[in-house]
Amino acid sequence: MSRAVLLTGTPRGESPTRLLQAGRLEATFDAGALHWIRFNGVEILRALMFLVRTPGWGTPAPVITGLEIGEDATSFSVAYEAHYGVPGQGVRVGIRLSGEASGRLRAEADIRAEAAFDTNRTGFVVLHPLDGFAGTEVTVDHASAPQRDLVIPAQISPGQPVKDIRAITHSPVPGLTVETRFEGDVFEMEDHRNWSDASFKTYSRPIGLPYPYKLGPDAPVAQAVTITLTDQGSEGPVVSAVTVPKTAGQLLPDYALPIDRLADTRVALAWPEALGALAPSWILLRHDGWLEAPDADLSPLAELIALTGAKLEVQAILAGATDAAAEAELAALAARFEAAGIFPARIGAFAKIDEQSFQPGEARPPHPSEAAVSASLARHFQAADRIGGSPAFFTEFNRKRPDPALWQGLSFATTPVVHAADDASVMESLQSLPHILSSAQALAGGLPLLIGPTGIGARINPYGPGPSVNDPEAREGMAARDPRQRGLFAAAWTIGYLTRIAPFAPVRFAFGGPAGAFGLISTRQDYARPFWDDQPEGALYPLYHVARILARAAGGEVMEARTEGGIARLIWRKGGRRHALLANLTSEALALPATGLAVPEVLLLDAASLADNGWAGAQTLPGALDAYAVLHLEEQEAKR
């Protein structure tokens, strides 16, 4: 049995990395890029990489040849050739990277198209980390304007917080300045927190220019990035721009089981024991007027609601483009629900184009107005809370900001694989969540926030016709069927997610699904699933066990929610007892931190117990948590 399959859902590992050092300067070389660039232990850049983006915003992986790495006490160097696209019709890029102990890092690229090549963006990308950058003052050298000082916003910018960049200088800690200078194009910065990336991205070419554009074989392009460090005695911790609320008095959110299509209700009903035991507080139904038949049978949905005891929340995706069309569509939907004996407790309705991405200020196609949709919902679903926000990611919530006066709650979703799909980037996306929740609260006008559905993969694709159809074993951006969703990785990531958002007191957290790519229950798919294809139909993925605990924890008083040393730790009180849920967010075993709970029952979910398809009970605490392991503790006696 493959340990990798149990951890990440696939036997396919990631490429090995190598730590490069030159004095106090260090960086990790990974698949052609430099990650976690640090000086004297301080992270100055999250990454420096070269990317090619296709007309559909795909990101083809490079084929790297001729790799040469040199390193001594005072310097390191990397040189290779990267090929993107179809041989003979793609782009060849000669990359040279060099670092010096003096505090200088330089990247150079010689870009040559083999034939006329359409691209939305081709060039270097620099990622600044959140801590020590968001909310700080920086100096910007503009390509067509004078130098100026400005503050990187603490609240998430809906667009580009900095444009027309030749160089940008920031200070992650007092006494250390970092100048990043660009050559060969005009660069601008995007607030990647919108997509739950833990970074700000500086890239070329500006999004305001026409795209896609062509690279020609007769016009090679040269680009370079130079980072220059000045250390005048750096000291002090790197600080965050986000103040996380105190957990005292906060309550854990309700768990909602997403249903992405009405047909999924029939799949769910095939496993009544597992779904009944799950007992979610809510069923979150996405009803797409473009896809669902107007006479589709709703009786399986009614059965599922009765089986689980859940309340129903509906996200209706409207097919019509006018206020009158939305009114007719919602009236018909209400009549169908009533005829089936189904009465939603919450409902939101969104124009189909609200699942698509638009730049701030960009004209949108005709669609029903927010006020008209709210009024129609009030007429036809009088007993339901009206939910606004976005059916897509926080990006679209931030760009098409809802009017809080029209709603009784606001929702949005996230996925960690919009821009990068490697394990480290997916786990790092958790760092952005306090920024997202803080920014969302600032826009919500005091309304409750409803989060999800979330998952490792992407349920929708605002930037193309649909989620990527990936090799089922591949970690790929914007793909729905991410293999990690069926491994311990997703269980740990989801606990890490809740730990980050719990202090902000969202009222609903939706993740998973009955079966399929986001499922909690293992069922046969049209692709191979190592290990799981050998288990009985209806076996439980690790995420099921997490969902069941969080469903029971709903409404519990949060006592502690923090991530430290690679372990997410969530402690709550409910029914007079304290509970703790811990998750190792790393690929290495970590020492178990103290929780202060007296525990009669220890439930451990790790690679060893998963091989037996479930939790392992124990009488004593383990000394360490294995990679992506989950531990649930329940106190023996009620604490007053």
Side-chain angles (χ1 to χ4, degrees), residues 15 142 295 298 514:
S15 59
H142 289 292
D295 58 350
L298 294 177

Side-chain angles (χ1 to χ4, degrees), residues 57 158 190 195 211 352-360 362-365 392-393 395-396 399 461-464:
W57 292 108
E190 198 166 58
W195 296 273
Y211 64 88
K352 184 66 174 177
I353 65 161
D354 286 343
E355 291 187 325
Q356 300 172 25
S357 179
F358 295 87
Q359 287 292 315
E362 183 179 0
R364 294 170 180 256
F393 308 144
T395 322
E396 314 318 321
R399 289 178 172 177
N461 181 2
Y463 320 106

Side-chain angles (χ1 to χ4, degrees), residues 258-273:
I259 301 290
D260 295 330
R261 292 288 304 271
L262 279 172
D264 293 345
T265 56
R266 294 189 181 278
V267 177
L269 290 172
W271 311 104
E273 184 176 349

Side-chain angles (χ1 to χ4, degrees), residues 514-574:
F518 293 92
L520 304 178
I521 300 170
S522 170
T523 60
R524 297 293 174 189
Q525 301 298 311
D526 59 1
Y527 51 86
R529 299 167 305 139
F531 175 73
W532 293 102
D533 284 341
D534 297 327
Q535 305 305 306
E537 190 89 345
L540 304 176
Y541 288 134
L543 193 58
Y544 173 91
H545 302 292
V546 170
R548 187 176 177 186
I549 283 180
L550 295 183
R552 300 204 319 256
E557 180 186 356
V558 181
M559 304 182 68
E560 184 177 324
R562 62 173 171 156
T563 301
E564 189 174 54
I567 292 181
R569 178 166 54 181
L570 184 66
I571 301 176
W572 68 94
R573 180 190 285 114
K574 188 173 183 181

Side-chain angles (χ1 to χ4, degrees), residues 259-618:
I259 301 290
D260 295 330
R261 292 288 304 271
L262 279 172
D264 293 345
T265 56
R266 294 189 181 278
V267 177
L269 290 172
W271 311 104
E273 184 176 349
L275 269 296
L278 181 63
S281 299
W282 294 83
I283 299 295
L284 176 61
L285 172 69
R286 180 181 183 274
H287 186 279
D288 191 333
W290 285 73
L291 301 176
E292 301 288 2
D295 58 350
D297 184 10
L298 294 177
S299 60
L301 176 62
E303 290 182 48
L304 183 62
I305 293 170
L307 171 67
T308 59
K311 293 175 284 189
L312 177 64
E313 178 182 344
V314 178
Q315 287 188 343
I317 308 302
L318 302 174
T322 65
D323 292 353
E327 167 72 13
E329 205 170 330
L330 290 171
L333 186 62
R336 289 179 58 218
F337 276 133
E338 185 174 1
I342 298 171
F343 301 95
R346 292 180 185 143
I347 185 166
F350 307 94
K352 184 66 174 177
I353 65 161
D354 286 343
E355 291 187 325
Q356 300 172 25
S357 179
F358 295 87
Q359 287 292 315
E362 183 179 0
R364 294 170 180 256
H367 61 282
S369 70
E370 186 181 15
V373 169
S374 176
S376 292
L377 290 174
R379 279 190 291 272
H380 301 297
F381 295 89
Q382 296 180 14
D385 286 346
R386 300 184 306 281
I387 305 301
S390 174
F393 308 144
F394 174 78
T395 322
E396 314 318 321
F397 179 97
N398 197 23
R399 289 178 172 177
K400 187 183 179 184
R401 296 181 171 183
D403 180 356
L406 298 174
W407 308 106
Q408 293 159 298
L410 298 175
S411 69
F412 58 85
T414 70
T415 178
V417 295
V418 174
H419 296 110
D422 60 283
D423 291 351
S425 294
V426 170
M427 279 300 181
E428 283 177 348
S429 69
L430 301 177
Q431 299 171 16
S432 72
L433 296 176
H435 295 253
I436 289 175
L437 270 291
S438 177
S439 294
Q441 283 187 337
L443 299 175
L447 292 181
L449 295 174
L450 299 85
I451 310 302
T454 68
I456 305 296
R459 282 178 160 88
I460 63 171
N461 181 2
Y463 320 106
S468 300
V469 181
N470 60 317
D471 175 337
E473 300 300 315
R475 301 159 169 88
E476 186 175 312
M478 296 307 301
R481 55 185 188 186
D482 193 291
R484 290 165 293 193
Q485 194 68 26
R486 56 183 180 261
L488 285 161
F489 188 103
W493 181 85
T494 302
I495 294 170
Y497 197 112
L498 180 56
T499 301
R500 293 282 189 165
I501 67 173
F504 296 88
V507 298
R508 185 262 283 155
F509 182 35
F511 61 87
F518 293 92
L520 304 178
I521 300 170
S522 170
T523 60
R524 297 293 174 189
Q525 301 298 311
D526 59 1
Y527 51 86
R529 299 167 305 139
F531 175 73
W532 293 102
D533 284 341
D534 297 327
Q535 305 305 306
E537 190 89 345
L540 304 176
Y541 288 134
L543 193 58
Y544 173 91
H545 302 292
V546 170
R548 187 176 177 186
I549 283 180
L550 295 183
R552 300 204 319 256
E557 180 186 356
V558 181
M559 304 182 68
E560 184 177 324
R562 62 173 171 156
T563 301
E564 189 174 54
I567 292 181
R569 178 166 54 181
L570 184 66
I571 301 176
W572 68 94
R573 180 190 285 114
K574 188 173 183 181
R577 294 179 182 270
R578 290 188 297 175
H579 300 251
L581 193 57
L582 296 92
N584 182 350
L585 306 180
T586 78
S587 60
E588 304 292 334
L590 296 175
L592 184 68
T595 62
L597 272 69
V599 287
E601 184 179 69
V602 178
L603 293 177
L604 178 66
L605 185 63
D606 60 7
S609 64
L610 181 55
D612 295 327
N613 198 29
W615 292 98

Side-chain angles (χ1 to χ4, degrees), residues 45-291:
L45 294 176
R46 178 57 49 94
L48 170 59
M49 61 187 73
F50 190 93
L51 294 180
V52 172
R53 304 300 299 273
T54 64
W57 292 108
T59 309
V63 175
I64 292 176
T65 57
L67 177 62
E68 296 181 358
I69 299 178
E71 186 177 12
D72 58 33
T74 61
S75 66
F76 60 77
S77 63
V78 177
Y80 63 89
E81 185 171 90
H83 186 273
Y84 301 84
V86 178
Q89 302 176 42
V91 176
R92 291 192 176 277
V93 186
I95 302 286
R96 295 169 298 281
L97 310 170
S98 60
E100 301 171 6
S102 61
R104 184 176 185 271
L105 181 65
R106 183 168 171 83
E108 300 171 295
D110 177 34
I111 308 164
R112 297 177 181 272
E114 297 171 314
F117 184 86
D118 289 332
T119 180
N120 281 2
R121 185 178 298 157
T122 291
F124 279 119
V125 170
V126 169
L127 303 182
H128 284 82
L130 303 185
D131 292 348
F133 191 75
T136 71
E137 186 176 272
V138 301
T139 299
V140 179
D141 292 357
H142 289 292
S144 57
Q147 183 186 87
R148 64 174 177 140
D149 295 334
L150 56 84
V151 174
I152 300 298
Q155 187 165 341
I156 299 174
S157 169
Q160 293 78 28
V162 191
K163 296 183 178 181
D164 190 34
I165 303 171
R166 234 358 139 215
I168 185 166
T169 302
H170 78 288
S171 180
V173 294
L176 179 63
T177 59
V178 183
E179 181 197 70
T180 305
R181 184 165 294 275
F182 303 92
E183 303 170 33
D185 206 338
V186 176
F187 285 67
E188 66 184 17
M189 180 180 292
E190 198 166 58
D191 195 334
H192 254 202
R193 296 175 294 176
N194 276 297
W195 296 273
S196 74
D197 293 63
S199 61
F200 289 78
K201 179 178 72 175
T202 305
Y203 59 89
S204 67
R205 86 189 205 156
I207 196 71
L209 296 177
Y211 64 88
Y213 62 98
K214 287 188 183 295
L215 295 175
D218 299 326
V221 178
Q223 275 195 13
V225 178
T226 304
I227 295 99
T228 305
L229 308 175
T230 303
D231 186 9
Q232 297 177 327
S234 56
E235 60 181 3
V238 180
V239 298
S240 172
V242 174
T243 300
V244 176
K246 294 182 179 179
T247 56
Q250 308 285 27
L251 303 181
L252 284 175
D254 289 343
Y255 169 61
L257 176 68
I259 301 290
D260 295 330
R261 292 288 304 271
L262 279 172
D264 293 345
T265 56
R266 294 189 181 278
V267 177
L269 290 172
W271 311 104
E273 184 176 349
L275 269 296
L278 181 63
S281 299
W282 294 83
I283 299 295
L284 176 61
L285 172 69
R286 180 181 183 274
H287 186 279
D288 191 333
W290 285 73
L291 301 176

